[in-house]
Amino acid sequence: MQSYTQNRTQVTEFVMVGFSGVLEAHLLFFTLFLTMYLLTLVENLAIILVVCLDHQLQRPMYFFLTHLSCLEIWYTSVTVPKMLAGFIGVDGGKNISYAGCLSQLFLFTFLGATECFLLAAMAYDRYVAICMPLRYGALVSWGTCVRLAAACWLMGFLTPVLPIYLTSQLTFCGPNVIDHFFCDAAPLLALSCSDVTLNETADILVSLVVLLASSTVIAVSYGNIVWMLLHMRSATERRKAFSTCAAHLTVVSLFYGTLFFMYVRTKVASSISFNKVVSVFYSIVTPMLNPLIYSLRNKEVKGALGRAFSLKSWKGE
């Protein structure tokens, strides 16, 4: 649908192309992405329930983990259901209104930025636990955890405010086809008939601030952790200390690796099809893998899952 004002056609609805090159295998891709989405929901819900019900996991580290699991359920739900509707040809499945497109972009950016800040808060928690164990209770109290979590959500919410406001001021006069499976910033700006220089600059600066600020906290935290591990005399103590942050470090590596590659790259290296693949990885694959990483690399979570689902073979591991 389009409205006509001042001899210009104002776009009020967009069409998302999605994965147009896989039309012959659309049912296969629909099944694959639906399976991954359902696994993401089940795995993250399982983590939330286990942490809430098991008293042995009532600690700051797992408090942040429940926030991360909640976030990833919403993170995938912002894009995947609409993408699935497009695969099976649901009426209007590939169409999205102008307001809906901006809302999807806002929510996706908000949740992605919040995840960056949450991972930084979790890194700080591990740093205090390993490097200052005697002061852990004072430095990472429940009150501190609540304030840190609230700050992560608030900073994440504020992150897309300026970019979305600037985008809302643009004129879209056609075409209205977004070459992506969700309303991402770059393909949306490519459709505008206004000057998008300010928007692109704001997007890059905001992305860099979020990524650099959160990754700096993570890098400093793990730098201190490594320094502490190197000065531990006992190899057993080193292994025990490292095991408490191995899952988080793996999750951080996956998430930040794809984000830095996606958003801090040159235009020469850009490819729409390749960007879609990378987007699938950090928006669908990573949220599905994170609960598995935490459950497989963390003995306490494995034990709690075993107790919750009466899997005796997991107990005592």
Side-chain angles (χ1 to χ4, degrees):
M1 184 181 295
Q2 299 174 333
S3 61
Y4 294 85
T5 57
Q6 299 178 352
N7 297 324
R8 275 197 167 189
T9 305
Q10 178 67 41
V11 172
T12 59
E13 186 177 67
F14 295 100
V15 178
M16 294 186 289
V17 172
F19 297 91
S20 56
V22 296
L23 293 178
E24 295 181 356
H26 66 281
L27 288 179
L28 174 63
F29 277 84
F30 170 81
T31 304
L32 173 64
F33 287 127
L34 176 62
T35 302
M36 293 169 68
Y37 178 56
L38 293 177
L39 281 174
T40 300
L41 297 182
V42 171
E43 292 166 2
N44 282 289
L45 283 172
I47 292 290
I48 294 169
L49 289 174
V50 166
V51 172
C52 291
L53 296 176
D54 196 298
H55 294 292
Q56 295 186 32
L57 299 183
Q58 301 298 310
R59 302 206 302 276
M61 175 182 176
Y62 301 108
F63 169 80
F64 289 119
L65 182 57
T66 58
H67 279 264
L68 185 64
S69 293
C70 286
L71 185 149
E72 290 186 329
I73 290 173
W74 298 335
Y75 190 54
T76 54
S77 297
V78 168
T79 58
V80 176
K82 187 69 176 176
M83 179 183 68
L84 294 175
F87 268 121
I88 59 176
V90 173
D91 186 29
K94 291 189 175 183
N95 297 349
I96 188 168
S97 67
Y98 173 79
C101 186
L102 290 186
S103 297
Q104 186 184 58
L105 179 57
F106 181 93
L107 290 172
F108 189 79
T109 307
F110 155 45
L111 295 170
T114 303
E115 182 158 356
C116 290
F117 294 126
L118 273 175
L119 290 174
M122 295 172 77
Y124 170 75
D125 170 72
R126 292 299 82 204
Y127 155 68
V128 177
I130 294 173
C131 299
M132 293 181 283
L134 298 179
R135 301 179 60 195
Y136 182 76
L139 293 176
V140 192
S141 63
W142 281 112
T144 301
C145 291
V146 171
R147 287 190 292 271
L148 276 174
C152 291
W153 286 98
L154 177 60
M155 290 188 294
F157 180 81
L158 294 176
T159 295
V161 170
L162 177 61
I164 295 299
Y165 170 75
L166 293 175
T167 301
S168 70
Q169 304 304 302
L170 297 176
T171 300
F172 294 89
C173 47
N176 67 334
V177 178
I178 297 177
D179 195 0
H180 213 306
F181 63 89
F182 70 97
C183 286
D184 201 5
L188 181 60
L189 293 180
L191 299 180
S192 177
C193 47
S194 305
D195 183 4
V196 297
T197 304
L198 180 60
N199 300 73
E200 292 176 338
T201 302
D203 284 347
I204 292 173
L205 290 178
V206 169
S207 298
L208 282 176
V209 168
V210 172
L211 290 173
L212 292 178
S214 55
S215 61
T216 297
V217 173
I218 293 171
V220 171
S221 297
Y222 275 103
N224 283 283
I225 288 173
V226 170
W227 180 260
M228 179 63 69
L229 293 177
L230 292 175
H231 286 77
M232 288 182 178
R233 295 183 178 181
S234 170
T236 302
E237 289 182 355
R238 283 197 296 271
R239 283 194 299 270
K240 183 178 179 180
F242 181 74
S243 67
T244 65
C245 57
H248 177 259
L249 187 57
T250 304
V251 168
V252 165
S253 300
L254 285 173
F255 185 73
Y256 277 87
T258 52
L259 279 186
F260 269 110
F261 181 79
M262 186 68 185
Y263 289 108
V264 189
R265 68 193 190 283
T266 62
K267 291 185 177 180
V268 176
S270 297
S271 165
I272 292 175
S273 298
F274 193 62
N275 288 348
K276 290 181 188 178
V277 174
V278 177
S279 297
V280 165
F281 194 86
Y282 72 74
S283 64
I284 303 175
V285 177
T286 301
M288 180 191 69
L289 293 178
N290 287 350
L292 292 175
I293 293 170
Y294 272 105
S295 60
L296 295 176
R297 298 294 300 270
N298 190 301
K299 293 182 179 180
E300 291 179 324
V301 175
K302 288 167 64 179
L305 286 169
R307 289 188 294 273
F309 296 102
S310 299
L311 299 177
K312 296 182 180 180
S313 61
W314 283 23
K315 291 184 177 180
E317 288 188 24

